[in-house]
Amino acid sequence: MAYQFPPDVEKLLQEQMAVGGYCSEDDVLRDALKALYEQRRAVLEEDGAVVEGIRRGLADMQAGRSRPLEEFDAEFRAKRNIPRDA
Protein backbone atom coordinates (compact mmCIF):
# COMPACT_ATOMS: atom_id res chain seq x y z
CA MET A 1 0.00 0.00 0.00
CA ALA A 2 1.39 3.42 -0.94
CA TYR A 3 1.25 6.28 1.55
CA GLN A 4 1.73 10.00 1.13
CA PHE A 5 3.17 11.36 4.36
CA PRO A 6 3.85 14.94 5.36
CA PRO A 7 7.57 15.73 5.17
CA ASP A 8 8.09 15.54 8.96
CA VAL A 9 6.50 12.10 9.17
CA GLU A 10 8.40 10.90 6.12
CA LYS A 11 11.65 11.99 7.78
CA LEU A 12 10.78 10.07 10.96
CA LEU A 13 9.94 6.98 8.92
CA GLN A 14 13.20 7.13 7.02
CA GLU A 15 15.16 7.58 10.26
CA GLN A 16 13.46 4.57 11.83
CA MET A 17 14.06 2.47 8.75
CA ALA A 18 17.75 3.41 8.84
CA VAL A 19 18.39 2.81 12.54
CA GLY A 20 15.62 0.42 13.48
CA GLY A 21 16.28 -2.33 11.01
CA TYR A 22 12.94 -1.95 9.27
CA CYS A 23 12.62 -3.06 5.65
CA SER A 24 9.56 -1.02 4.80
CA GLU A 25 7.30 1.79 5.92
CA ASP A 26 4.64 -0.84 6.63
CA ASP A 27 6.94 -2.46 9.20
CA VAL A 28 7.54 0.87 10.94
CA LEU A 29 3.84 1.72 10.98
CA ARG A 30 2.91 -1.75 12.21
CA ASP A 31 5.29 -1.46 15.17
CA ALA A 32 4.25 2.13 15.90
CA LEU A 33 0.54 1.28 15.91
CA LYS A 34 1.14 -1.81 18.02
CA ALA A 35 3.12 0.26 20.56
CA LEU A 36 0.38 2.91 20.66
CA TYR A 37 -2.30 0.26 21.18
CA GLU A 38 -0.31 -1.43 23.95
CA GLN A 39 0.42 1.89 25.67
CA ARG A 40 -3.24 2.90 25.75
CA ARG A 41 -4.37 -0.55 26.85
CA ALA A 42 -1.78 -0.59 29.64
CA VAL A 43 -2.96 2.76 30.98
CA LEU A 44 -6.56 1.58 31.10
CA GLU A 45 -5.80 -1.87 32.49
CA GLU A 46 -3.12 -0.92 35.00
CA ASP A 47 -4.52 2.35 36.28
CA GLY A 48 -7.95 1.69 37.70
CA ALA A 49 -8.15 5.35 38.73
CA VAL A 50 -8.24 6.36 35.05
CA VAL A 51 -11.14 4.04 34.30
CA GLU A 52 -12.96 5.05 37.49
CA GLY A 53 -12.48 8.73 36.70
CA ILE A 54 -13.96 8.23 33.25
CA ARG A 55 -16.92 6.37 34.75
CA ARG A 56 -17.54 9.14 37.29
CA GLY A 57 -17.33 11.78 34.59
CA LEU A 58 -19.84 9.95 32.40
CA ALA A 59 -22.17 9.46 35.35
CA ASP A 60 -21.93 13.17 36.20
CA MET A 61 -22.80 14.10 32.63
CA GLN A 62 -25.78 11.73 32.56
CA ALA A 63 -27.00 13.14 35.87
CA GLY A 64 -26.74 16.70 34.59
CA ARG A 65 -23.77 17.61 36.79
CA SER A 66 -21.87 19.40 34.07
CA ARG A 67 -21.68 22.82 32.48
CA PRO A 68 -20.73 24.19 29.10
CA LEU A 69 -17.02 24.49 28.37
CA GLU A 70 -17.43 28.18 27.55
CA GLU A 71 -18.78 28.82 31.06
CA PHE A 72 -15.93 26.94 32.74
CA ASP A 73 -13.37 28.63 30.49
CA ALA A 74 -14.64 32.12 31.31
CA GLU A 75 -14.58 31.40 35.06
CA PHE A 76 -11.13 29.78 34.88
CA ARG A 77 -9.66 32.71 32.94
CA ALA A 78 -11.27 35.29 35.23
CA LYS A 79 -9.86 33.64 38.37
CA ARG A 80 -6.37 33.55 36.89
CA ASN A 81 -6.50 36.86 35.00
CA ILE A 82 -5.91 35.12 31.64
CA PRO A 83 -7.10 37.05 28.56
CA ARG A 84 -9.52 35.28 26.23
CA ASP A 85 -7.09 35.45 23.31
CA ALA A 86 -4.23 33.78 25.21
Side-chain angles (χ1 to χ4, degrees):
M1 180 181 288
Y3 306 103
Q4 287 188 339
F5 298 108
D8 60 326
V9 175
E10 182 66 35
K11 181 180 178 200
L12 291 171
L13 280 167
Q14 294 305 319
E15 288 173 358
Q16 285 303 309
M17 288 175 63
V19 299
Y22 295 103
C23 296
S24 71
E25 292 173 344
D26 288 339
D27 292 340
V28 176
L29 292 172
R30 188 176 297 107
D31 273 3
L33 291 171
K34 182 179 175 185
L36 178 62
Y37 171 80
E38 289 174 356
Q39 178 187 19
R40 288 182 175 172
R41 186 180 53 130
V43 167
L44 293 176
E45 288 179 357
E46 293 177 13
D47 191 349
V50 171
V51 175
E52 184 52 35
I54 292 169
R55 286 188 179 130
R56 281 194 319 270
L58 291 172
D60 284 345
M61 287 177 59
Q62 290 172 346
R65 295 185 298 264
S66 63
R67 59 186 173 151
L69 175 62
E70 294 80 14
E71 181 183 314
F72 168 81
D73 182 56
E75 181 182 318
F76 182 87
R77 288 173 181 276
K79 283 182 180 179
R80 290 159 181 80
N81 198 24
I82 301 171
R84 289 202 50 82
D85 61 350

